[in-house]
Amino acid sequence: MAVFDRAALAQVLKNGVEKLDLGLSEAQQEKLLDYLALLNKWNKVYNLTAVRDPMEMMTLHVLDSLAAVPAFKDAQNVLDVGAGGGLPGVVLAIARPDMKVSMIDIVHKKTAFLNQVKAELELGNVTVYTKKVQELQVKTPYDVITSRAFADLSDFVNWSGHLLAEGGRFIALKGTAPAEERERLPDPWKVNELQPLQVPGLDAQRHLVFIGRV
Ligand SMILES: C[S@@+](CC[C@H](N)C(=O)[O-])C[C@H]1O[C@@H](n2cnc3c(N)ncnc32)[C@H](O)[C@@H]1O
């Protein structure tokens, strides 16, 4: 089993943060490492991700989510749908402590983990829900709703559209984002932008799909 080499992981994180020009403090980078340590520990029992090697988790999960952070520049109140082990929600919450981040998942053991992360890392900007997103009702709608590896784009907007504020937008983190999936969005939704992402240390396609009301 691969060991959790914190010093080596810290170096890869530092290089990635510099490449992405995110300007995260040392304290934020330490929190990201603490999160990875928790994900690695709980994964052995809770099966939160199929990725088992901490160094792969750093690139495939943490840096992958960090690459999306600049897209949330103007966001104040974000929902991560199907957050699973906290990707991208926990990473966003650490990178942007000024932004409220809610995460929702139907699987109780995943949200138990997210609540544990919230408590241990003292993430006061995080809220966790255990239910189907279709059943979530909130007083204040979200200005950005995001997801990563969640569902087909049509299901994503159909199931969570009632939670998006007027003038808000969806940001889906996707691998290739096939044109066919982008083109058959139901009314009133349309893709406004498809932005390729470069994840440090990852030689694979990544895209952000921005969706808004027509
Ligand atoms: C493939 S995982 C992705 C997890 C995480 N976003 C990531 O990138 O690692 C999809 C997650 O969506 C959750 N999910 C599926 N249907 C859902 C629904 N209707 N409402 C909320 N969560 C849902 C699943 O339990 C699962 O944790």
Side-chain angles (χ1 to χ4, degrees):
M1 187 172 291
V3 291
F4 192 90
D5 181 344
R6 189 160 175 127
L9 290 162
Q11 192 57 51
V12 171
L13 176 61
K14 186 167 184 279
N15 293 345
V17 165
E18 275 167 17
K19 272 211 178 105
L20 293 168
D21 202 14
L22 292 177
L24 298 186
S25 67
E26 292 229 340
Q28 285 172 303
Q29 295 185 41
E30 286 301 315
K31 270 198 181 185
L32 287 167
L33 290 166
D34 289 344
Y35 164 59
L36 196 59
L38 286 171
L39 187 62
N40 183 52
K41 181 173 145 194
W42 281 57
N43 201 34
K44 294 180 178 125
V45 186
Y46 271 27
N47 214 8
L48 300 163
T49 164
V51 182
R52 301 273 157 196
D53 177 355
M55 196 54 88
E56 281 188 28
M57 285 185 190
M58 172 57 80
T59 301
L60 291 173
H61 291 329
V62 177
L63 293 178
D64 192 66
S65 298
L66 279 176
V69 166
F72 293 77
K73 185 165 56 80
D74 301 321
Q76 312 278 326
N77 187 24
V78 173
L79 175 67
D80 178 8
V81 178
L87 300 152
V90 170
V91 174
L92 287 173
I94 294 171
R96 287 284 312 280
D98 59 306
M99 184 169 81
K100 285 191 206 159
V101 179
S102 297
M103 290 178 261
I104 183 165
D105 205 287
I106 38 174
V107 176
H108 192 270
K109 65 178 184 178
K110 295 187 180 179
T111 55
F113 169 70
L114 295 178
N115 275 316
Q116 186 72 19
V117 170
K118 173 182 158 76
E120 288 205 27
L121 303 190
E122 299 178 350
L123 299 176
N125 57 337
V126 160
T127 305
V128 179
Y129 297 102
T130 310
K131 58 171 69 183
K132 281 187 180 173
V133 69
Q134 299 92 313
E135 292 166 4
L136 182 66
Q137 297 293 338
V138 289
K139 284 201 191 106
T140 311
Y142 299 95
D143 51 16
V144 175
I145 300 182
T146 191
S147 70
R148 174 186 185 262
F150 172 59
D152 175 276
L153 291 173
S154 294
D155 288 339
F156 175 40
V157 298
N158 273 335
W159 295 347
S160 47
H162 64 290
L163 299 164
L164 191 69
E166 202 58 44
R169 60 184 181 165
F170 291 99
I171 304 178
L173 282 66
K174 286 277 193 182
T176 50
E180 177 267 325
E181 200 182 310
R182 282 181 276 129
E183 280 155 15
R184 63 178 164 74
L185 281 185
D187 273 355
W189 308 109
K190 80 162 191 327
V191 171
N192 295 322
E193 193 190 339
L194 180 68
Q195 182 191 319
L197 280 185
Q198 189 59 55
V199 178
L202 189 65
D203 184 18
Q205 286 200 47
R206 290 287 187 269
H207 291 89
L208 296 180
V209 188
F210 296 83
I211 298 169
R213 291 189 174 89
V214 175

